[in-house]
């Protein structure tokens, strides 16, 4: 299947303000592109890319006084298959985990394992380790948090999401990641595009989405606590320990968001641009 995706985002500032942006698709999806993927700025300003420690493409740019618009539009090929399932995937003993996986067991900015460890073990200690345990955590978070765009707050942590029981997709992901880590299951945060493909359309402005991966049976598998169902057409942009590592934009000075539009739609092959 072919998916057309992109965005138009405007940030305004009274003074020149440096910014980092994780608004490119992840390098693991580059070979799936069927049209060029370019970030276009208005006004035109220099923009430089580098690869961070998690393998994400990060763009460095300075917002000029007055503001900057970043836009992108591309078409990508997807296999059209739902998120893979492996019900027999085992949970590894910590001593058997590869060295580079251990960081995804640790507490991070939005994932306070120390505050949720007792809760996690009381809820999931009796569940079967591995896939079954992760699915139990996903189902719990899905039912525990009420989704609503009006609940968005960029500072909300997993502990606060657990207490407040409201949030957006990143809050579902942070709480599920934290509960997994408390149960010694490596988990990492992911962000990207997820359109209403293969599901009823939602009558709301499109947004980027957040989900998470867990390390089971020697591989990373995708889970989504907000939807609690396999989905079609995920386009990964960035991943890391939590939203700090995969923030769409990080500004080093006062800015305001003046426009935010995202599109992700399945298209026919003859609509390639």
């Amino acid at each position: 299947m072919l998916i057309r995706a992109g965005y138009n985002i405007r940030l305004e500032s009274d003074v020149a303000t440096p910014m980092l942006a994780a608004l490119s698709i992840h390098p693991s999806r580059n070979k799936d592109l069927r049209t060029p993927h370019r970030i276009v700025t208005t006004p035109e300003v220099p923009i430089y890319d580098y690869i961070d420690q998690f393998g994400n493409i990060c763009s460095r740019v300075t917002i000029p006084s007055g503001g900057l618009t970043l836009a992108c539009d591309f078409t990508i090929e997807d296999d059209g298959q739902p998120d893979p399932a492996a019900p027999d995937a085992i949970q590894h003993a910590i001593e058997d985990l590869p060295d580079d996986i251990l960081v995804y067991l640790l507490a991070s900015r939005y994932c306070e394992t120390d505050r949720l460890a007792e809760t996690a073990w009381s809820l999931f200690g009796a569940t079967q380790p591995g896939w079954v345990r992760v699915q139990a955590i996903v189902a719990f978070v899905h039912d525990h948090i009420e989704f609503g765009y009006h609940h968005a707050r960029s500072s909300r942590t997993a502990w606060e999401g657990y207490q407040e029981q409201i949030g957006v997709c990143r809050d579902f992901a942070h709480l599920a990641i934290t509960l997994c880590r408390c149960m010694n299951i490596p988990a990492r945060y992911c962000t990207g595009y997820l359109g209403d493909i293969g599901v009823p359309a939602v009558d709301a402005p499109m947004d980027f989405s957040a989900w998470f991966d867990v390390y089971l049976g020697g591989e990373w598998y995708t889970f989504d606590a907000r939807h609690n169902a396999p989905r079609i057409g995920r386009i990964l942009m960035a991943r890391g320990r939590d939203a700090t590592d995969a923030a769409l934009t990080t500004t080093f000075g006062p800015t305001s968001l003046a426009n935010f539009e995202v599109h992700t739609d399945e298209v026919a092959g003859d609509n390639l641009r």
Side-chain angles (χ1 to χ4, degrees), residues 83-165:
D83 303 322
D88 296 328
I90 65 167
Q91 178 175 336
H92 296 278
I94 292 178
E95 54 269 30
D96 295 332
L97 289 169
D99 295 341
D100 61 337
I101 301 297
L102 292 175
V103 67
Y104 297 107
L105 287 174
L106 305 179
S108 54
R109 163 69 177 87
Y110 292 101
C111 300
E112 314 104 313
T113 52
D114 56 331
R115 305 191 75 175
L116 281 162
E118 185 176 348
T119 298
W121 280 96
S122 68
L123 290 171
F124 309 110
T127 59
Q128 179 182 332
W131 191 274
V132 171
R133 178 170 284 170
V134 176
Q135 189 56 63
I137 289 171
V138 169
F140 169 81
V141 174
H142 178 77
D143 293 337
H144 187 75
I145 295 180
E146 173 190 305
F147 178 86
Y149 290 111
H150 57 290
H151 297 320
R153 189 177 78 236
S154 62
S155 63
R156 183 181 290 116
T157 66
W159 169 254
E160 291 168 340
Y162 175 73
Q163 294 291 321
E164 297 171 17
Q165 299 184 45

Side-chain angles (χ1 to χ4, degrees), residues 18-36:
M19 177 177 73
L20 292 178
L23 288 169
S24 297
I25 66 166
H26 193 267
S28 61
R29 296 303 305 268
N30 281 347
K31 291 183 179 180
D32 298 324
L33 284 168
R34 295 298 172 262
T35 63

